[in-house]
């Protein structure tokens, strides 16, 4: 599943670079010295005894998974979707998570925040950190009534602080011949605070093991 996310992220980044990002000013943000001590995709917290049928995960088990919120007002926010950290300043998420369902336009970036270092929604965590969004870049071919091209990159206002509990997933391929077909038939892992079998949003970060199909 991690490789699948990698390929989706790379596809969007390439398309964005060729299309909608050409007119955007280039901004270079240096990696902090503390963040340089960490490697993407390498978990620092080793967790044993996972339950196959998808129950609660543990803190640090999925350090690149974050919670995306829409702020209703100064004191209240609403959970919308999961997001994956790919760099200290960037995350990927689904396009429909940052597009208004009625108008089809991107939501105001100022109303979006992404939290990392949590396994329970709306609960405190000594390892948690929250970051505002500077810019939303939705796939140029995404449409609100379609599942195609449903992906977006978010640029964060502040750099994420890497730790044993918050790390980016890797987006670089290790072999030039890697492709989606390399992972078909394997078991993927999906995590999130999405709807459960009871049609309710789980407040605990859940994991499910799913087959990867063509």
């Amino acid at each position: 599943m991690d490789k699948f996310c990698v390929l989706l992220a790379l596809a969007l980044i390439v398309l964005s670079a060729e299309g909608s990002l050409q007119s955007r000013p280039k901004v270079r943000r240096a990696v902090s010295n503390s963040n340089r001590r960490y490697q993407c995709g390498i978990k620092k917290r080793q967790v044993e005894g996972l339950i196959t049928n998808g129950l609660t995960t543990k803190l640090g088990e999925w350090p690149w998974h974050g919670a995306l919120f829409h702020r209703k007002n100064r004191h209240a926010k609403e959970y919308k979707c999961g997001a994956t950290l790919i760099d200290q300043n960037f995350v990927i998420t689904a396009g429909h998570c940052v597009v208004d369902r009625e108008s089809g336009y991107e939501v105001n970036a100022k109303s979006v925040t992404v939290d990392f270092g949590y396994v329970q929604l709306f609960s405190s965590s000594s390892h948690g950190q929250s970051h505002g969004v500077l810019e939303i870049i939705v796939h140029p071919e995404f449409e609100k009534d379609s599942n195609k091209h449903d992906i977006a990159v978010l640029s964060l206002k502040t750099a994420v602080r890497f730790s044993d509990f918050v790390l980016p997933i890797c987006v670089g391929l290790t072999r030039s011949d890697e492709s989606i077909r390399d992972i078909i038939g394997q078991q993927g892992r999906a995590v999130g605070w999405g709807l459960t079998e009871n049609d309710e949003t789980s407040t605990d970060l859940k994991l499910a093991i799913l087959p990867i199909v063509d």
Side-chain angles (χ1 to χ4, degrees), residues 84-212:
T84 302
L85 185 66
I86 59 175
D87 176 85
Q88 67 174 20
N89 295 107
F90 294 92
V91 302
I92 57 173
T93 189
H96 72 263
C97 299
V98 288
V99 170
D100 183 83
R101 289 186 176 182
E102 294 184 3
S103 68
Y105 290 106
E106 296 172 13
V107 300
N108 191 331
K110 294 181 180 179
S111 68
V112 181
T113 59
V114 186
D115 293 1
F116 293 98
Y118 295 86
V119 290
Q120 291 182 314
L121 288 177
F122 307 110
S123 296
S124 61
S125 169
S126 59
H127 306 289
Q129 48 184 294
S130 182
H131 298 269
V133 172
L134 178 65
E135 186 177 17
I136 297 173
I137 308 165
V138 179
H139 192 294
E141 297 183 42
F142 171 70
E143 297 180 3
K144 66 182 180 68
D145 297 322
S146 171
N147 291 324
K148 293 182 179 180
H149 314 296
D150 189 8
I151 193 168
V153 169
L154 309 183
S155 172
L156 303 178
K157 288 183 178 179
T158 50
V160 172
R161 303 180 304 279
F162 298 162
S163 69
D164 290 4
F165 304 91
V166 182
L167 289 168
I169 199 169
C170 296
V171 294
L173 298 179
T174 57
R175 301 198 315 270
S176 60
D177 60 344
E178 279 197 74
S179 70
I180 287 291
R181 296 200 174 277
D182 292 336
I183 61 174
I184 291 175
Q186 297 185 28
Q187 296 295 306
R189 286 161 176 77
V191 295
W193 289 280
L195 295 178
T196 67
E197 61 276 9
N198 298 322
D199 201 30
E200 298 176 348
T201 300
S202 171
T203 56
D204 295 314
L205 186 62
K206 298 288 187 177
L207 174 143
I209 297 179
L210 306 169
I212 299 174

